[in-house]
Structure formats: C-alpha cells, structure tokens
Amino acid sequence: MASGGDPKWQKDAADQNFDYMFKLLIIGNSSVGKTSFLFRYADDSFTSAFVSTVGIDFKVKTVFRHDKRVKLQIWDTAGQERYRTITTAYYRGAMGFILMYDVTNEDSFNSVQDWVTQIKTYSWDNAQVILVGNKCDMEDQRVISFERGRQLADQLGVEFFETSAKENVNVKAVFERLVDIICDKMSESLDADPTLVGGAQKGQRLTDQPQGTPNANCNC
Amino acid sequence: MDFQNRNNTANKFVCPSDRQLALRAKLKAGWSSSKSSEPLRPEEQEAIISVIRRNEEIEVAERLRVGRLVERVEKIKQHAVERGPNCCRLCGDTFGLLRGHRIICEDCRQAVCTKCSLDINIRYHTSEKSREIWLCRICSETREMWKKSGAWFFKGLPKYDIPRSASATPTPTPCIGGTMAGDTRAVQSCHGTPTRPARIKKLTIRVNDSSSSSSHSEPEDEVDGGPAGASASNGSASGTGGISKSGSTTGGRLQRDDSFRLRAYGSIRSFIDGGERKLSNSFFFGRQQSHRPSECPDYDSVSMSSKLRRESSFLRRGSVSSSWSISDSSGSGNSGNSHTTQSQSQSQAQSTTQSQSQSQPYHQQQQQHCRDPLLGWLEIAISYREAFHSLDCTMVRARDLPAMDAAGLTDPYCKLNIITPEAHTKYTRWQRTKTVHKTRNPEFNETLQFVGVEPEELGNSLLYVALFDDDKYGHDFLGAAKVCLSTVHSTTQYRISVPLGAEDQYSNAAEMSQNWPNGKMLLSLCYNTKRRALVVNVKQCINLMPMDNNGSSDPFVKIQLKPDAHKNKKHKTSVKWRTLNPIYNEEFYFEASPHDLNKEMLILTVWDKDLGKSNDFLGSLQLGAQSKGDRLQQWLDCIRLPDHFHEKWHCLAPDNPAH
C-alpha cells in the first residue's frame, strides 16, 4: 500500500518539475495513424490493430530541450466526423498542431486543406502547425509522393515531415521541431512586444515623470 | 450527460460569433451542424468523461503552478523599493557616483543596478538570430512567468489559483492578463507613493538651502560653514602665519566660495546618494585652500565680492551671479544680454532656470534643471546646412561647472549625439570635443558636425550634450543639456545658452560608449577609528586584459599607501588563476591618522602573475585627496564617515604609476 502511494507522490512531484507546458493537438482524417503516432512517442509502443479513438484522449510527456524542461500535453483526437464537436473544443488551448495525413490514402491528403481551415477557425491565431505524412514505411502502397507533401506544406507555410509510427521514423523529430518552433514563437512574441508583458507598465511610466514634476516645480 | 455543459465547466468554449457560426456551418462542423449525427453511446460518454476528468486534474495543478509563478513575481515586486530615478528600482542602491553601472531595463525602462539585473541572451533555435538585452529582475521574472504560464500565447495570464498561504491576493482572477497586471501595478504604485513626496520634500529643502533663496536657510548655513571657517583660519595661523591681512581675507573668502561650490555639488550628490548626511567638504577643501595662493584666474570674481563677506546669503548669491557677469563681459555671446539683465535683477537662480528652460520643449527637462540649478550653463551655437544635410554644433563655452578636484577645478569635455523621436541615439559613435584643462568655465569653441541629418528630422529631434570630467581613472559626469532642433533653420545660426541638468539614460549611454580596455575594479574603503587604520577591501575586478596565451590572465592586486609615514608594508592579494573577472574580497589595513590620509595616496596596481618571467602590468588605480571626481568623493566619504565601508567601481588606467 505504501508502495502504491509512493510512486504516485513521486509522479506528482515530477509532474510539477518543469518550466513550460505546451499543449499539442494531433489532427487528421480517421485511421491516418494519429493514436499510433502518439503511442510511439509517449510509450514507444506500436500495435497494428485499429481501434478508433473515442472523442479525445491525451498523454503527458516531459522532455528536456535547450536546458528547459517542457511538459507536453499531447491531445489525440478522433478523426471521425461525429466527434467533431468535442475535438474542436480543444483547439483553442493548443499551442501546436500536428496535422497528419496517410501517404497511402489520397482522401486523407485532400482533406488537409479542410483541417487547416478548421485550425484557423477554432484555434488561437499564433498556434503553430506541422504537416506530417504518416506510414512512410509502406512504400509499395504509397500514393502521395514526398514532393507533393512538401509542396503542400510550402503552400501552407508550415514545416513538413514524413514519418512512420511503425518503424519509428521521424516521430521524435516532429515533436522536437514543434517544441522548437513554439519556443521561438514565445521568445519572439515577448521580444517583439515587451509592452505585452508590462501591461499597464508603459502607461505607468509616462505618468510617472509628471507626477514628480509639479512638486519639484512649485518649490523652485 | 450533456457535453456542452461539460465543456463549459472546463471553460474551453467561448461563445462563437456569428461569423464563426457561419464558417462552422460551411465546414459542416460545430454546434450548428453536428446535431444530425447520432448521439454518443453511454460507453463512449464514459470514456470521454474519464479523459475530461484526467484533464481537470492537470488543469488544477496547472492553475496552482501559475498561481505560484504569479505569487513569486508579486513578492519580488513588493520588495522593490522604487525610491526614485537615481536609485536602483529593486534594492534602492543609489547610483550616485557609481554611474557606469546603472542599467536601464529593456522592458520597464527603469534604472536598476547590476546586482538586480540580468543580461539575457534571446536565442532562436530555428534560425541564427540572437539578441542580448538587459532586464531588471522584476521584468525578467515577469517574462519568465509569461513564458511558463503560457500567457505569452493567450496574450494574458490564464486562470490561476494562488496557493493557500497567500490570503491577501484575491482568489482566481478571470483570464485576460491585462486586468491582472493592471491591478498589481495599481497596488504597487500605491505602495510606492508614500516615499515619493518625502523625497521631493527633501530635495526642495536642499535646493533652497544651496541657492539661498530664503533667509531661513541662513542659520543652518552658518552652522555648516562656521566650524569650517574656524578650522581653516586655525590652520592658516599655525601653518603659514605670515599671510597679510588682505591675503588671509581673500583666502578665507576663497575658501568660503569654494566650499560653497563644492558643498552645492555635494548636496546634489547627497540627494543622489539618498543620504541625509551633512556635507562638510569645506573642512577638507578649506584646509587646502587656505594654503593655496589666490592667483587662480577663475577666481577673479572673489575679490569683487569679498566686501560682501559678512552678508553670507547675499554673498553666496553674488558668487553665483558674479561669475556670470564676468563671463558676459568677456564673452561676446548673443545671449549675453539676457544673462546680464537676469543677474542684475538678482532674481533667484531657479527663476532664471525656469525661464530658461521654458524655452525647452520638454517638460521633463525643466524638472531636472529645477532640481539642479547649480550644474552650470552651456552655450551652444547650431546651424544647419541643407545642401550637405549637416548639422554644425559649436560648443562655445560652459560656465559654473561643478568642481571635481580638491583645487575646485575641472577638466571638462563635451560628448554629443542626436536623439531621435523614438528616444534612441541617432549615431552609435558619440562625438566629443577636446578637453579644456583646469577650469570650471571652459571655452571650447569647437564645432562638431553631424552628417546625414534630414531636414524633416530637425523638427522632432534633440541635440544631446553631456559634459564629463576628463580623468585617467574614469570620466565623471558634470551635466547634460538637451536642445530641441525644431528652432534650427538653415539660414541662421541659432545660439542658445542652456542650463545643465542631471544625468539620465543618455548621459549613461555617452559614458558607456567609451571603452575601458583595462577593466574596472570594485573597491571598498573604510577608516577604522579603533585601529586607526584605513581598511582597503579589494572586492573584484572585471574585464581585465588577457595577457596569457590561453586568453586569460592570472591577476593579483598590489596595494600601497604613499608616502608611507607609518612604514606600512605593501600588500598584495592572492592570485586568481585563469580569469579576467577575479573576485578577491580581501581586506588590508594601513595604519594612518585621518589627517595623514589627506596627504596620502592609495595606489593599486593589477598584475598578471607569470611564472618564470616578470609579471605583466594590467592596470592601475590611484585614490587620494589629489584625485578627482568619484575617487575623491570616495576618499572623502571614507574620512568623513569613518567605520563605514564606502564601495565604488573605478576604471583602471593603462599606465603604471611606479614608472
């Protein structure tokens, strides 16, 4: 019993021991491999059996990147239309999106544009997106070439990776890249607009000086 | 179960706008279109609810975490003293003469000391860009909080819970960080106000006192000056007994005038220092002055007003204005007329300052000049040549600059730059005039040219002039002036006489623009009355020169008091290996009486320890009654306020005083 309580406590302590928390969302058509992708990254496991995700799910993973501990809460969404109400509700909290299609499935690639529209509609405007073509291990069944994927990514102005959850290709790279992009966005947004942080500070500063002035004047 | 309600409790859903709803309808997604699909089965609902519960756990922890971050920043903010522009915002350390190390925070633009600020290097991982900025601890912590809480992303602090212990802060404030930040600022400013009027009051007392506008200040001055005069005359009686009657009066008068000048300087400094201590520079200066023959040409004014000796308040006023009238008669400046009339009317120094500064566009400037009416005047002539897009700025002369050495003299030079409407300096390189040595009323007559000034720029730019005292061991700030360039026309030369104001961010920038290749030393001095010894604490050095092949040095410091009446031995610190920024924190005692210290000189030399060959010289520093500015101030502080440590940064000079 004590042993049962102990790991939990340790887990809690470890839970709080991080610098940044990023919420990421994996989206894309049904059966492109979103859940497999997440399981590969979070648990380093893979199963080829297909179980449709019910609504939403998430996993938490803490990574160490650039001397900072980053806690990732990665949301796995159901690709099926019927859960759309629930999944879109979580777009708003997400800082990064992994937009996934299946290189063996033309339909999933064609709907990338729709998913981008979804992101634009529901997410914060500075959310970062990475386009991922999954199942790149299945070369014999491939219908979407790497070039087409890259072109689409260029067109959308996002970064592009081809991955395989099964063979563990580029899975870690995608997350690391997304974390980097978000970190940069963070530095940039604070750096470009320092007043953002200060809030009222700027106004404060302007009023600060005249505050002292009248008093100093009248005694002259 | 109703999922929309669930979502509401998680507060993920903000009611969408009409446009959003229309878009959703197009997408066949969202509330408006999903009605058609079949309802969720109980087991599905169960699964989703469990996920939402798990998420809620995380959210609660997250809210607490953000609460802790907010609390941490609030605590730091509460500890900030916010004493005024010349004190560090956080620890309240006065910059006083430690000017090189005032840092202006990038975010709040307030001045902080080095201890309370961080040099932050912003690196971008996806590109090669990087940027270095200085932030005060409050702003760096606020930035960290914004990063860690995710507020940077949502443009406002997310929901948070302050941990239980903190009861004062209101319970979870709703999103939108702006309001939260605003609240805390308000609280903080309330917290700050009680101190501010107090400081201003203190200031005005000082100003009245030193400019002698009220008779009330008179007795205080007498008390101040009385013992000084007495001791000085004692000194002259015992020392050089054979001074003629008139000579001694002039001497006394001279001393008097000087002591006033220096005291005025001191009182400004004491305001800057934030201390309430009575300054009696006159004691030390008076002593030296009484031995000094009165042949210095800058003190012609003295003989003129010597009759006024008894009427101390009038005399002091006279001493301020008399030097003007002389300057007017000698100089042929356009502004001469206005000066004479003003000095004739004998209206108090401040009123002239005010009328002068009213011609200045900046409110702030007026304030500064009111505060320090005694930093002197600067006469400038400006003309603009449209054909060349060049602005010619002639530094004609300066008057009544603060004294910087024991003889009451200064070695002034000007540094100029143009300040753009965005409050940046236009040129990275500051232009400087030559140094005019040993005078408080220098005639510069030097024209400096700024090329590439567009005509439309003139309207909203400022010419910034900072005056510094030239010295081997660091350049001390004398005064600064801003001139609005909107009045400058291409056809005529524009002449103006401006009062010099206190230091600010630009004068710091001007000072910083000079690099000191030999580095700096933090030195702490204390006169220990029990042991009758001078305690020298060599704290640390920074930016020393690399002397060894490995790109660093092995520095140590030799310390010596000269002339060595008490047969103190020389001291040296330990060697700090392979560093350019050694921290010593070592104390040394030099036996000496306070009187001796007036004649002695503390010599510090920094060396690079080399095994097998002679040590390399890295830099030197001399302190004593003969030194100037900051060095002199520290030396005098140390004697005047014994049993206290007086700490200052000093620049190291490249020449070895032993040679």
Side-chain angles (χ1 to χ4, degrees), chain A residues 58 83 122 184 191 211, chain B residues 24 44 54 126 131 196:
Chain A
F58 70 85
Y83 299 111
Y122 296 107
D184 276 7
D191 198 26
Q211 217 175 46
Chain B
R24 284 176 201 186
E44 286 177 334
R54 263 169 64 216
T126 50
R131 210 162 83 87
R196 197 163 284 145

Side-chain angles (χ1 to χ4, degrees), chain B residues 347-363:
Chain B
S347 60
Q348 274 80 48
Q350 305 97 322
S351 69
T352 49
T353 330
Q354 212 161 13
S355 65
Q356 280 284 342
S357 55
Q358 257 152 19
S359 64
Q360 304 308 314
Y362 286 78
H363 200 47

Side-chain angles (χ1 to χ4, degrees), chain B residues 5 17 77 86 107 111 199 201 238 254 392 406 412 435 498 501 522 557 612 615:
Chain B
N5 279 341
S17 65
K77 276 187 183 167
N86 285 311
D107 279 2
R199 295 227 45 88
K201 206 168 186 184
S238 61
L254 188 69
D392 298 347
T435 305
V498 287
L522 181 62
V557 185
N615 296 332

Side-chain angles (χ1 to χ4, degrees), chain B residues 6-147:
Chain B
R6 279 274 159 204
N7 289 334
N8 276 336
T9 53
N11 237 338
K12 283 291 168 193
F13 241 23
V14 178
C15 193
S17 65
D18 287 350
R19 191 178 153 276
Q20 279 174 322
L21 283 170
L23 269 167
R24 284 176 201 186
K26 256 188 230 162
L27 284 164
K28 296 197 171 56
W31 301 340
S32 49
S33 58
S34 63
K35 298 267 160 41
S36 58
S37 60
E38 55 179 288
L40 295 170
R41 289 189 299 277
E43 65 268 27
E44 286 177 334
Q45 293 183 6
E46 199 93 335
I48 291 169
I49 288 164
S50 80
V51 170
I52 289 171
R53 290 237 168 88
R54 263 169 64 216
N55 182 42
E56 257 166 21
E57 262 174 51
I58 288 189
E59 302 250 301
V60 167
E62 184 66 9
R63 278 206 297 272
L64 277 173
R65 188 179 74 98
V66 176
R68 275 196 295 272
L69 292 169
V70 171
E71 200 190 18
R72 183 185 150 82
V73 173
E74 286 311 302
K75 268 193 188 141
I76 295 174
K77 276 187 183 167
Q78 274 165 19
H79 285 140
V81 290
E82 307 261 7
R83 236 183 240 161
N86 285 311
C87 300
C88 170
R89 181 188 176 194
L90 282 126
C91 65
D93 265 11
T94 45
F95 299 116
L97 302 169
L98 214 127
R99 275 183 307 275
H101 289 263
R102 168 209 291 249
I103 283 157
I104 305 288
C105 168
E106 184 92 1
D107 279 2
C108 63
R109 308 305 306 174
Q110 295 205 39
V112 283
C113 69
T114 29
K115 279 174 287 173
C116 301
S117 57
L118 291 162
D119 181 10
I120 290 178
N121 196 356
I122 301 170
R123 254 172 299 148
Y124 293 91
H125 307 300
T126 50
S127 63
E128 289 303 295
K129 269 193 296 181
S130 83
R131 210 162 83 87
E132 210 163 294
I133 55 167
W134 282 95
L135 289 178
C136 72
R137 259 184 62 220
I138 291 179
C139 291
S140 69
E141 285 291 335
T142 312
R143 274 198 187 203
E144 276 304 298
M145 178 184 78
W146 272 62
K147 280 183 180 177

Side-chain angles (χ1 to χ4, degrees), chain B residues 384 418-421 426-427 452-462 485-486:
Chain B
Y384 182 67
I418 289 175
I419 294 165
T420 57
K426 183 173 160 75
Y427 301 95
V453 181
E454 304 299 323
E456 53 270 23
E457 256 182 295
L458 286 178
N460 42 19
S461 293
L462 290 169
L485 294 175
S486 58

Side-chain angles (χ1 to χ4, degrees), chain A residues 8 16 18-23 54-60 66 68 71 73 75 81-86 88-90 92-95 114 117-118 121-122 124 126-127 159 177 180-191 194 196-201 204-205 208-213 215-217 219-220, chain B residues 4 7 12-14 20 23-24 27-31 34 37-41 44 47-48 51-52 54-55 58-59 61-62 65 68 89 107-110 122-127 129 131 133 139 142-144 146-148 150 152-155 181-182 185 189 193 196 200 203-204 208 350 354 363-364 366-367 370:
Chain A
K8 173 112 172 72
Q16 290 304 304
F18 58 89
D19 296 303
Y20 307 137
M21 175 145 165
F22 294 161
K23 290 182 186 182
V54 177
I56 41 165
D57 193 9
F58 70 85
K59 282 198 176 288
V60 173
H66 305 297
K68 290 278 187 279
K71 183 173 173 177
Q73 188 186 18
W75 288 87
E81 188 92 36
R82 58 193 292 259
Y83 299 111
R84 206 54 59 79
T85 322
I86 300 159
T88 50
Y90 287 87
R92 204 151 176 79
M95 296 177 180
D114 296 341
T117 321
Q118 290 259 349
T121 315
Y122 296 107
W124 278 86
N126 52 358
E159 302 228 9
R177 190 65 184 168
D180 281 359
I181 295 173
I182 294 172
C183 279
D184 276 7
K185 188 77 191 170
M186 176 162 69
S187 308
E188 198 183 290
S189 65
L190 286 180
D191 198 26
L196 191 78
V197 183
Q201 254 163 342
Q204 183 75 22
R205 207 181 94 237
D208 239 17
Q209 243 124 20
Q211 217 175 46
T213 316
N215 291 350
N217 268 346
N219 284 303
C220 276
Chain B
Q4 276 159 28
N7 289 334
K12 283 291 168 193
F13 241 23
V14 178
Q20 279 174 322
L23 269 167
R24 284 176 201 186
L27 284 164
K28 296 197 171 56
W31 301 340
S34 63
S37 60
E38 55 179 288
L40 295 170
R41 289 189 299 277
E44 286 177 334
I48 291 169
V51 170
I52 289 171
R54 263 169 64 216
N55 182 42
I58 288 189
E59 302 250 301
E62 184 66 9
R65 188 179 74 98
R68 275 196 295 272
R89 181 188 176 194
D107 279 2
C108 63
R109 308 305 306 174
Q110 295 205 39
I122 301 170
R123 254 172 299 148
Y124 293 91
H125 307 300
T126 50
S127 63
K129 269 193 296 181
R131 210 162 83 87
I133 55 167
C139 291
T142 312
R143 274 198 187 203
E144 276 304 298
W146 272 62
K147 280 183 180 177
K148 289 184 175 177
W152 65 273
F153 183 81
F154 301 107
K155 305 256 192 295
R185 281 303 299 186
S189 67
T193 33
R196 197 163 284 145
I200 288 160
L203 156 73
T204 51
N208 283 342
Q350 305 97 322
Q354 212 161 13
H363 200 47
Q364 185 192 345
Q366 191 179 344
Q367 178 207 352
C370 284

